[in-house]
Amino acid sequence: MTIEVGERVMIGGHSAVVRYVGEVSGHPRVWAGVEWDDPSRGKHNGLVNGVQYFRTSSARGGSLVSIQNVHRGVDLLTAIRNRYADSSADENVFVINSKAVELFGMQSTSQKQSNVFELRHIVLESCSVAGPPPETCPLFRRCVSLNLFNNLLQRWEDVRKILVYFPRLRELVLRKNRMDAAGVGEAWSDVKCLTDLILSDCGLTSESISNVLRYLPGLRTLYAVGNRFSHFFVPEVADSLLNLDIRDNPIRCLSNITENLSNVKYGRWHIVHYTQPASCVRQVVDFLKQHAISLFNEDFSFFLESVQVSCISLHYPDTAYFSQYS
């Protein structure tokens, strides 16, 4: 099947998006112009010898590669069978909250993998997973942890379809899958058990993160480190969320942060703007003080100086109340 523009592919173990397929002046064969997920791997922005073959979002995020070196993704079931057909694969190493954990004293994977549908922890790092398993695939009824780090997923509908095959899944790692924008939609009613979701380095916007929380209102832990959102809004339906990590984002505004969030990691900002109902005045101030102390072990005024904030504004849209702390 022909590789298409817009398709996510793997090249030498590194993921990219195809921006051009065709001939290149002065060179034989068919070439693919790709935009790397990691822009530092690129050489140009699609302009080669005066010809603009394609464009990239960064000045040097693209490359031209021989089409023979471009590998398309596989469905999830194929990736699982490829991964666990290797007797050296170790099911006893899995991920909890993005950290590898090894189980000792367990039966070896080579003795267990006669039936991949009995696996409890599945790790498919950099395995070119691009979509859900075929419709005829049985359910993975025992699996509770699925690690899809650095694969080729991009559509949220494909993520939903994958989750349907894992009715007991508690943790899903999607880090370094360049996901499309998540549109407004209803909760995924067929996803019952998922509590921990890792979406770090997925290129997500503020709106996408909020919509994902609407898809999965039962989440208790969300890691969204290293994306590109400037504000963060917790939807009302996400009242189960307890742990939130949004470090390494250009955060300028937090909205609707509730007392249910007992563990928040957000890094340092130049401007902090909280938007809450008037009934939460005391709660917001306490929240700021609490997390300033937990981050810097100093008082609130030192927190303001350390992040170079000239003022913190608390705006309550349902009243005329507006206050500044400077």
Side-chain angles (χ1 to χ4, degrees), residues 70-145:
V70 178
H71 300 284
R72 309 186 74 194
V74 298
D75 68 77
L76 182 71
L77 180 58
T78 298
I80 290 174
R81 285 176 168 161
N82 290 343
R83 166 74 168 83
Y84 289 94
D86 180 358
S87 61
S88 65
D90 190 357
E91 181 211 349
N92 301 330
V93 177
F94 64 103
V95 170
I96 294 179
N97 293 342
S98 303
K99 296 182 179 179
V101 177
E102 184 172 1
L103 300 181
F104 294 94
M106 302 293 286
Q107 186 179 9
S108 69
T109 301
S110 59
Q111 294 174 302
K112 287 185 171 184
Q113 61 191 13
S114 58
N115 185 356
V116 295
F117 301 101
E118 295 298 313
L119 295 173
R120 287 179 52 80
H121 308 285
I122 296 176
V123 180
L124 297 174
E125 295 189 1
S126 304
C127 289
S128 299
V129 177
E135 293 183 0
T136 55
C137 178
L139 300 182
F140 295 83
R141 296 186 181 277
R142 298 188 69 236
C143 185
V144 296
S145 174

Side-chain angles (χ1 to χ4, degrees), residues 135-184:
E135 293 183 0
T136 55
C137 178
L139 300 182
F140 295 83
R141 296 186 181 277
R142 298 188 69 236
C143 185
V144 296
S145 174
L146 176 61
N147 183 349
L148 296 175
F149 171 84
N150 192 35
N151 279 280
L152 301 177
L153 293 168
Q154 62 184 130
R155 291 180 289 270
W156 286 103
E157 180 60 20
D158 286 341
V159 174
R160 187 194 68 79
K161 290 178 180 178
I162 287 172
L163 289 173
V164 169
Y165 291 91
F166 294 83
R168 295 183 59 193
L169 195 71
R170 297 198 299 265
E171 181 186 70
L172 175 63
V173 178
L174 290 176
R175 185 185 174 201
K176 288 202 171 182
N177 286 269
R178 291 291 176 172
M179 303 302 300
D180 291 342
V184 177

Side-chain angles (χ1 to χ4, degrees), residues 281-318:
V281 174
R282 186 71 262 162
Q283 175 187 320
V284 173
V285 175
D286 289 344
F287 177 88
L288 287 169
K289 290 182 178 179
Q290 171 192 343
H291 291 286
I293 293 171
S294 66
L295 280 174
F296 305 106
N297 294 319
E298 294 287 350
D299 62 18
F300 192 45
S301 61
F302 179 76
F303 167 67
L304 297 182
E305 295 173 1
S306 65
V307 295
Q308 301 175 358
V309 177
S310 58
C311 71
I312 289 181
S313 62
L314 304 178
H315 180 219
Y316 310 100
D318 52 346

